[in-house]
C-alpha cells in the first residue's frame, strides 16, 4: 500500500447553495493531486461514517438526536451558518470517521492526510461557523479510548480560533490544544487553548513564521504527543475572504514544511486535516491545500 494514506469522501461536496464555503474544494484538491501525480489511486482510502457511540464521547445525546431527527431550531441553524440537511449531517459523520482513520493511519505510517475535516468551531451541544461535528475532537478522544494514543496534540493553524476544540479539551490533560489565529476575527469569544497565539490584522509571513518557530517545537517537545492533528487551514492567505492575515502562497508552504519538521522531530505521528479556505480565487484555495499534501508526502518516512 502506498504511503501516506489520503483519506477522502465524495459526500463532502454537499450542495449548500451559493455560499462562501466552497464544498467543491474537497473534490478539486483530490483531482488536482491525482492529475499532477502527487498521489496515485493507491494512496486513496475512502472514509466511512463514525459510529454514534464514538460521536457521543464528545457530543451530547440531545444534540446528536437533533441532528439525527433533523430538529435543529431556526436559531441553531443561524449560528451554524450553513443550511442544515440530512446530506450535511451524513457528511459530518463521515468526516469524523475520516479524521479518525487518518489518525490511525498516521500512527501506523508516521503521516496521513484527510482531504476534509478540521471543523473546530463545533461544541459538544451545538454547531457553529460551518461546523456541525468536531471531527478532530472526536478522533482524538477515540484514539485515546482505543488505547492507540496516550497524548494527542491539536495544531490548529486555521486563521480562526479553535474555540470548540479548546472548550472540549479545557480539562483534558491528555490533549494539548494550540491555536494560531487572527485575534480580531470570528469567533468573538475565544475559550483558552493550552497555547493561543493571536495575530494582529495583516500579519505577514515573517512575523507568522517566527512565532511558529518560537512556540511549536518547544510545545511539542514538552508535551511529546503520540499523534498530532494538524488543521492546515488555507485561510491565513492574504487573499482570503474570511481571513485578515497576509500570508503568501510561499509563506503557507513554509508553514506546512515547518509544522511537519517540528512534529516529526519529536516522533509524533501527524494527521492532516484541511480546515478552512475561502480565497477570492477558488484555485488558490485548492493550490494551498494541495501544497500541504505535497509537504505531508515529503515528511512521510
Ligand atoms: Zn477558518
Amino acid at each position: 500500500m502506498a504511503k501516506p494514506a489520503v483519506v477522502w469522501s465524495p459526500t463532502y461536496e454537499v450542495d449548500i447553495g451559493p455560499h462562501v464555503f466552497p464544498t467543491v474544494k474537497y473534490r478539486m484538491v483530490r483531482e488536482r493531486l491525482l492529475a499532477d501525480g502527487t498521489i496515485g489511486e493507491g494512496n486513496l482510502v475512502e472514509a466511512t461514517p463514525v459510529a454514534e457511540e464514538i460521536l457521543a464521547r464528545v457530543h451530547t445525546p440531545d444534540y446528536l438526536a437533533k441532528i439525527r431527527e433533523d430538529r435543529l431550531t431556526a436559531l441553531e441553524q443561524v449560528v451554524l451558518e450553513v443550511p442544515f440537511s440530512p446530506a450535511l449531517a451524513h457528511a459530518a459523520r463521515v468526516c469524523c470517521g475520516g479524521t479518525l482513520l487518518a489518525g490511525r493511519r498516521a500512527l501506523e505510517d508516521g503521516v496521513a492526510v484527510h482531504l476534509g475535516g478540521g471543523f473546530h468551531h463545533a461544541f459538544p451541544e451545538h454547531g457553529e461557523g460551518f461546523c456541525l461535528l468536531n471531527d478532530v475532537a472526536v478522533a482524538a478522544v477515540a484514539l485515546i479510548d482505543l488505547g492507540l494514543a496516550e497524548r494527542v496534540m491539536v495544531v490548529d493553524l486555521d486563521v480562526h480560533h479553535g474555540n470548540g476544540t479548546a472548550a472540549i479539551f479545557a480539562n483534558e490533560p491528555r490533549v494539548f490544544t494550540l491555536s494560531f489565529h487572527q485575534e480580531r476575527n470570528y469567533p468573538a469569544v475565544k475559550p483558552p487553548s493550552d497555547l493561543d497565539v493571536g495575530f494582529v490584522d495583516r500579519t505577514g509571513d515573517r512575523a507568522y513564521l517566527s512565532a511558529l518557530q518560537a512556540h511549536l517545537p518547544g510545545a511539542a517537545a514538552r508535551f511529546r504527543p503520540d499523534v498530532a492533528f494538524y488543521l492546515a487551514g488555507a485561510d491565513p492567505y492574504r487573499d482570503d475572504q474570511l481571513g485578515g492575515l497576509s500570508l503568501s502562497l510561499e509563506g503557507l508552504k513554509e508553514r506546512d514544511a515547518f509544522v511537519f519538521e517540528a512534529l516529526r522531530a519529536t516522533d509524533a505521528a501527524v494527521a492532516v486535516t484541511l480546515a478552512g479556505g475561502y480565497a477570492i480565487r477558488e484555485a488558490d484555495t485548492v493550490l494551498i491545500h494541495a501544497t500541504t499534501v505535497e509537504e505531508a508526502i515529503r515528511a512521510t518516512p
Side-chain angles (χ1 to χ4, degrees), residues 120 158-160 235 276 278:
H120 56 169
D158 187 280
V159 80
H160 303 100
D235 49 12
Y278 318 93

Side-chain angles (χ1 to χ4, degrees), residues 72-88:
L72 291 189
T73 65
L75 178 60
E76 284 170 326
Q77 299 201 38
V78 168
V79 173
L80 185 60
E81 295 188 66
V82 281
F84 181 82
S85 65
L88 186 81

Side-chain angles (χ1 to χ4, degrees), residues 107 139-153 169 172-176 223-228:
L107 282 160
V141 170
L143 290 178
I144 292 170
D145 281 354
L146 289 163
L148 295 173
E150 289 178 5
R151 286 178 307 281
V152 180
M153 189 165 184
F169 294 123
E172 174 48 90
R174 295 172 296 180
V175 179
F176 187 98
F223 185 65
R224 292 181 297 111
D226 300 301
V227 59

Side-chain angles (χ1 to χ4, degrees), residues 48-283:
T48 54
V50 83
E52 203 76 5
E53 313 86 84
I54 295 179
L55 290 178
R57 295 281 291 117
V58 166
H59 293 285
T60 62
D62 269 10
Y63 181 50
L64 292 173
K66 279 183 186 170
I67 292 172
R68 223 170 30 239
E69 296 158 15
D70 196 354
R71 288 193 286 107
L72 291 189
T73 65
L75 178 60
E76 284 170 326
Q77 299 201 38
V78 168
V79 173
L80 185 60
E81 295 188 66
V82 281
F84 181 82
S85 65
L88 186 81
H90 181 64
R93 284 187 208 101
V94 174
C95 183
C96 290
T99 297
L100 175 54
L101 179 58
R104 297 184 71 135
R105 291 299 302 263
L107 282 160
E108 289 168 18
D109 300 333
V111 175
V113 174
H114 183 197
L115 297 180
F119 291 95
H120 56 169
H121 302 311
F123 284 75
E125 75 303 328
H126 80 273
E128 62 174 70
F130 314 163
C131 302
L132 190 68
L133 299 171
N134 195 314
D135 56 292
V136 168
V138 168
V141 170
L143 290 178
I144 292 170
D145 281 354
L146 289 163
L148 295 173
E150 289 178 5
R151 286 178 307 281
V152 180
M153 189 165 184
V154 179
V155 178
D156 186 340
L157 302 192
D158 187 280
V159 80
H160 303 100
H161 179 259
N163 56 342
T165 319
I168 289 165
F169 294 123
N171 298 305
E172 174 48 90
R174 295 172 296 180
V175 179
F176 187 98
T177 54
L178 172 154
S179 177
F180 273 36
H181 48 270
Q182 181 190 4
E183 190 62 37
R184 246 183 30 176
N185 199 332
Y186 179 93
V189 177
K190 299 174 176 64
S193 312
D194 291 300
L195 176 55
D196 277 312
V197 176
F199 293 102
V200 297
D201 297 357
R202 305 321 319 177
T203 296
D205 292 345
R206 270 185 53 191
Y208 187 98
L209 292 167
S210 64
L212 194 60
Q213 288 157 4
H215 291 287
L216 179 60
R222 281 188 296 275
F223 185 65
R224 292 181 297 111
D226 300 301
V227 59
F229 286 97
Y230 173 31
L231 286 77
D235 49 12
Y237 178 47
R238 63 181 168 212
D239 286 345
D240 195 272
Q241 300 172 83
L242 300 184
L245 299 186
S246 286
L247 272 72
S248 67
L249 295 172
E250 185 56 35
L252 287 161
K253 181 187 162 90
E254 277 182 51
R255 173 198 71 166
D256 293 337
F258 186 78
V259 168
F260 290 117
E261 185 190 314
L263 292 171
R264 296 296 297 148
T266 68
D267 277 334
V270 185
V272 179
T273 62
L274 298 188
Y278 318 93
I280 296 164
R281 283 161 299 177
E282 208 163 74

